[in-house]
Amino acid sequence: MIQNVQILPRNETHWQDNEWKKLLSGAIESPKELLSILDLADSELAKQIDPNQKFSQRVPTPFIKKMEKGNPQDPLLLQVLPIQDENIKTDGFVADPLDEASALHKTGMSGLLHKYQSRVLFMLATHCAVNCRYCFRREFPYQENRASKSDWSKLGHYLSEHPEINEVIISGGDPLAVNDSYLTDFVRFIERFPQVIRLRIHTRLPVVIPQRITSSLLNLSQSRLQMVMVLHVNHPNEIDAKLIKACQLLSDNGFHLLNQSVLLQGINDNVDTLSKLSEKLFSAKVTPYYLHLLDQVQGAAHFNIEHDQAKSLYKNLQRRLAGFLVPKMVQEVAGEPNKTLII
Ligand SMILES: *Cc1c(COP(=O)(O)O)cnc(C)c1O
Ligand code: SF4
């Protein structure tokens, strides 16, 4: 019998593993350099930068490419550029607004949070590809909460003791900042617990480096666990052809895609921007999930939107969009058994 051996061309549509790693290590850390790439070295904005922030600048070049040159108000730039306003102390804005320190204490395990009944959140990585200025974990003591592979048995023990948990959420930092082989080992580990039916990945990495969606990452969906990926996109300009391709690959490979955004002053605090964001996300097969009110973290007060303003904006958004395009507007309130709906 003659075997018809077909030699498939190497699939050039897939990104190679070394590509995202190069982009990750090449992230721009100097605010001056970032402004100069954007032709803003001599702008008023240049006088406002603060290169000495402890929570340093970090932004990969694929995200910079989505910014508009010469625009000091660019909504992507304002999310990543450290400015002096971050040093303003504002009443009510604290280092750990969600009281994660005591939540971590409750599970007794580094990096493990069990705030909501049926799901645990595990910090698989302690760093991100991008440092978002409004991040509620900007002051988080990651070094004290570093969980390594040898700690997974503790996680396993915790799952066995809590049969009500049916979903494991990996977060960070950014869980996609670790290698595919590490992620694969983690999936194999979680698969051993029959009570767990879903693995959820909370990540911003594909948004700032779409090349992160490698074929070995896509293979994670070869699992009995249902894979959910929650992206973090705040503005429609973050969605370019590369991110659309990444979402297409994820969707084709069985990942269920959702998005969470943060409502940010001067970035997406208007109905036009938020409508466009939802429409673009959905076209890319991503369902809008949450629109978070800002967590009151020290250094981010200049991004805050008051509740009343947020509510009226939300009403207008509901009027404008199909129901399934309207994310739930929520706030995380320390000690509550779920995210709090703002309506
Ligand atoms: C937000 C969050 C979750 C997930 O909540 P969902 O409402 O299911 O998206 C789980 N654990 C922690 C600690 C969280 O902050
Ligand atoms: S990617 Fe997420 S966790 Fe990382 S800095 Fe941005 S908001 Fe924070």
Side-chain angles (χ1 to χ4, degrees):
M1 201 173 85
I2 301 165
Q3 280 220 310
N4 187 3
V5 182
Q6 204 184 356
I7 299 175
L8 292 168
R10 219 174 85 212
N11 191 344
E12 296 295 345
T13 65
H14 279 155
W15 287 302
Q16 301 302 307
D17 198 38
N18 53 3
E19 210 168 329
W20 73 269
K21 289 180 179 162
K22 267 192 238 151
L23 291 163
L24 183 68
S25 59
I28 304 296
E29 297 186 342
S30 149
K32 262 195 166 159
E33 188 180 348
L34 174 59
L35 289 185
S36 129
I37 294 170
L38 295 170
D39 298 337
L40 289 167
D42 302 319
S43 66
E44 279 299 305
L45 189 60
K47 295 180 193 144
Q48 293 172 36
I49 58 179
D50 180 358
N52 301 316
Q53 280 292 332
K54 195 173 75 187
F55 183 59
S56 60
Q57 177 186 291
R58 190 171 168 75
V59 52
T61 50
F63 196 68
I64 300 173
K65 290 210 178 94
K66 298 189 253 198
M67 298 175 186
E68 188 194 350
K69 283 195 175 181
N71 180 6
Q73 308 285 348
D74 184 273
L76 278 54
L77 172 62
L78 298 182
Q79 292 180 53
V80 299
L81 186 73
I83 56 169
Q84 285 155 20
D85 281 1
E86 294 175 26
N87 301 320
I88 300 170
K89 297 268 181 279
T90 308
D91 281 351
F93 283 74
V94 297
D96 180 10
L98 309 183
D99 196 17
E100 289 197 317
S102 63
L104 282 161
H105 187 73
K106 270 187 206 141
T107 63
M109 183 190 165
S110 303
L112 185 67
L113 290 165
H114 186 199
K115 290 209 247 179
Y116 305 153
Q117 206 166 54
S118 58
R119 48 244 189 258
V120 278
L121 184 147
F122 184 55
M123 296 175 185
L124 195 71
T126 50
H127 60 287
C128 291
V130 60
N131 283 347
C132 312
R133 309 317 303 170
Y134 52 84
C135 180
F136 71 98
R137 291 205 182 112
R138 53 178 290 153
E139 307 251 347
F140 190 79
Y142 280 120
Q143 292 320 309
E144 297 163 23
N145 281 285
R146 187 182 283 276
S148 64
K149 229 175 200 173
S150 58
D151 295 312
W152 292 0
S153 61
K154 278 192 230 160
L155 170 62
H157 187 69
Y158 193 89
L159 290 172
S160 308
E161 302 241 290
H162 294 270
E164 72 276 20
I165 296 168
N166 69 3
E167 176 172 355
V168 173
I169 301 170
I170 48 175
S171 168
D174 196 308
L176 294 192
V178 306
N179 287 329
D180 290 335
S181 64
Y182 193 88
L183 284 167
T184 307
D185 289 350
F186 187 75
V187 171
R188 295 289 97 85
F189 176 74
I190 296 299
E191 279 171 345
R192 301 210 297 240
F193 301 87
Q195 71 196 68
V196 182
I197 54 174
R198 270 190 305 277
L199 184 79
R200 199 198 306 184
I201 304 172
H202 278 187
T203 179
R204 185 147 159 81
L205 225 150
V207 181
V208 295
I209 307 178
Q211 292 85 342
R212 178 65 190 90
I213 307 307
T214 57
S215 46
S216 46
L217 183 94
L218 293 168
N219 283 340
L220 291 183
S221 62
Q222 310 287 311
S223 167
R224 71 161 183 86
L225 299 167
Q226 201 172 16
M227 292 289 162
V228 180
M229 187 177 285
V230 183
L231 297 172
H232 173 178
V233 182
N234 296 316
H235 190 281
N237 292 2
E238 291 169 48
I239 305 170
D240 65 353
K242 283 202 169 68
L243 179 56
I244 291 169
K245 174 180 157 184
C247 292
Q248 185 73 50
L249 288 168
L250 286 162
S251 173
D252 288 350
N253 282 273
F255 285 79
H256 193 103
L257 298 175
L258 302 171
N259 182 63
Q260 50 185 346
S261 314
V262 183
L263 184 60
L264 296 165
Q265 167 102 57
I267 290 166
N268 59 9
D269 55 334
N270 64 79
V271 178
D272 285 343
T273 302
L274 291 173
S275 310
K276 197 166 170 200
L277 173 61
S278 277
E279 294 285 2
K280 273 184 102 171
L281 283 168
F282 198 75
S283 299
K285 302 187 185 302
V286 185
T287 304
Y289 178 38
Y290 279 146
L291 176 62
H292 293 267
L293 294 192
L294 184 77
D295 295 314
Q296 314 253 294
V297 68
Q298 203 170 285
H302 54 291
F303 289 115
N304 194 43
I305 302 283
E306 295 301 332
H307 270 210
D308 287 349
Q309 195 192 334
K311 280 187 204 168
S312 82
L313 212 154
Y314 193 69
K315 280 214 175 82
N316 289 326
L317 192 64
Q318 281 181 304
R319 221 168 275 159
R320 179 87 67 95
L321 291 176
F324 57 86
L325 293 185
V326 184
K328 291 180 199 159
M329 189 160 75
V330 291
Q331 185 174 34
E332 177 106 14
V333 181
E336 288 296 313
N338 46 260
K339 309 234 187 270
T340 304
L341 277 175
I342 305 294
I343 32 171

